[in-house]
């Protein structure tokens, strides 16, 4: 499947959100697509306001949104960015995509937006056979997300050492690396 377009009516990019019966943003469709130049600012705000992620500089989100758009995604409800995924293809492992950060705004969680961003990312990268990420031991939501994604693709999820705690100069927790492979596409 090609990288998604911006059509809000494309079934690949916009699905009805789960509804609670209320005529609110919850009933809107949420579109998944690569970010546009400038949307790095909204990605940075989401990361900052969520408070769970390591906040990178606003510059980093802007550059990734502009120069790495094909390996990043945003989830857009109305005009608002309510989720984002930052990724890149390691130059030495071009059949892999590394997911650096994925986040969904608190009021939109549990609606499969993170799963949809992973699916859209992988479907837009036909030459990619492995998805990688690092996840701390205590990030249950993230571990479940990647496990769910692996299951849905019929892929194996394995772990390697990743970034050891002692590698960090600022006392961060270890970040074991997960590998999901082989990736199949519908
Ligand atoms: C992790 C995160 C992106 C998940 O987003 P989400 O849109 O709510 O996830 P989804 O609805 O797509 O759920 C996908 C799977 O993960 C599971 N999951 C998601 N959040 C979960 C939680 N808090 N506890 C347990 N399982 C969870 C879902 O049950 C689902 O699994 P299933 O298919 O087996 O039912 C979101 O919780 C978040 O933004 N967290 C803060 C940032 C973060 O920690 N990011 C990851 C590290 S970069």
């Amino acid at each position: 499947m090609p990288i998604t377009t911006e059509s809000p009516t494309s079934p690949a990019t916009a699905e009805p959100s789960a509804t609670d019966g209320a005529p609110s943003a919850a009933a809107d469709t949420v579109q998944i697509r690569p970010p546009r130049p400038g949307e790095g600012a909204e990605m940075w705000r989401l990361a900052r306001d969520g408070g769970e992620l390591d906040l990178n500089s606003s510059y980093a989100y802007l550059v990734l949104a502009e120069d790495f758009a094909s390996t990043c995604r945003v989830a857009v409800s109305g005009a608002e960015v309510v989720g984002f995924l930052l990724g890149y293809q390691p130059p030495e492992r071009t059949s892999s995509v590394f997911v650096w950060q994925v986040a969904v705004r608190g009021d939109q969680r549990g609606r499969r937006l993170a799963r949809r961003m992973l699916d859209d990312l992988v479907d837009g990268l036909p030459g990619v056979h492995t998805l990688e990420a690092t996840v701390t031991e205590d990030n249950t939501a993230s571990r479940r997300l990647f496990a769910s994604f692996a299951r849905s693709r019929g892929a194996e999820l394995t772990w390697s050492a990743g970034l050891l705690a002692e590698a960090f100069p600022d006392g961060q927790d270890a970040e074991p690396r997960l590998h999901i492979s082989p990736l199949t596409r519908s």
Side-chain angles (χ1 to χ4, degrees):
M1 189 186 301
I3 290 177
T4 52
T5 67
E6 294 174 7
S7 164
T9 54
S10 163
T13 59
E15 293 169 6
S17 303
T19 56
D20 57 10
S24 64
D28 292 344
T29 58
V30 177
Q31 183 187 18
I32 308 292
R33 59 166 170 75
R36 297 174 185 150
E39 284 183 332
E42 291 181 67
M43 296 156 85
W44 178 82
R45 279 190 202 98
L46 260 185
R48 179 196 62 184
D49 296 346
E52 294 115 329
L53 293 174
D54 283 343
L55 184 62
N56 301 300
S57 68
S58 53
Y59 180 90
Y61 293 91
L62 285 164
V63 167
L64 281 154
E66 187 152 342
D67 288 348
F68 291 79
S70 66
T71 52
C72 296
R73 289 294 182 273
V74 284
V76 183
S77 176
E80 286 185 300
V81 173
V82 297
F84 74 84
L85 179 158
L86 290 185
Y88 64 87
Q89 285 184 266
E92 305 302 325
R93 298 190 306 283
T94 53
S95 66
S96 292
V97 64
F98 181 82
V99 175
W100 181 353
Q101 288 189 327
V102 54
V104 171
R105 201 172 72 189
D107 65 342
Q108 299 286 325
R109 290 185 189 168
R111 301 159 63 84
R112 303 227 157 243
L113 295 186
R115 266 286 306 276
R116 285 180 58 201
M117 287 192 283
L118 289 173
D119 282 330
D120 201 67
L121 173 76
V122 164
D123 288 338
L125 297 169
V128 160
H129 305 301
T130 304
L131 182 143
E132 302 177 21
T134 68
V135 187
T136 53
E137 295 281 356
D138 62 357
N139 195 336
T140 305
S142 186
R143 285 177 175 243
R144 296 249 172 105
L145 164 66
F146 287 111
S148 164
F149 172 75
R151 267 198 315 277
S152 74
R153 297 271 161 168
E156 197 180 352
L157 190 161
T158 56
W159 292 91
S160 62
L163 299 168
L164 304 178
E166 48 269 37
F168 287 101
D170 51 355
Q172 289 197 43
D173 292 337
E175 294 260 359
R177 184 182 290 249
L178 63 79
H179 310 252
I180 297 173
S181 182
L183 295 173
T184 55
R185 287 154 183 89
S186 47

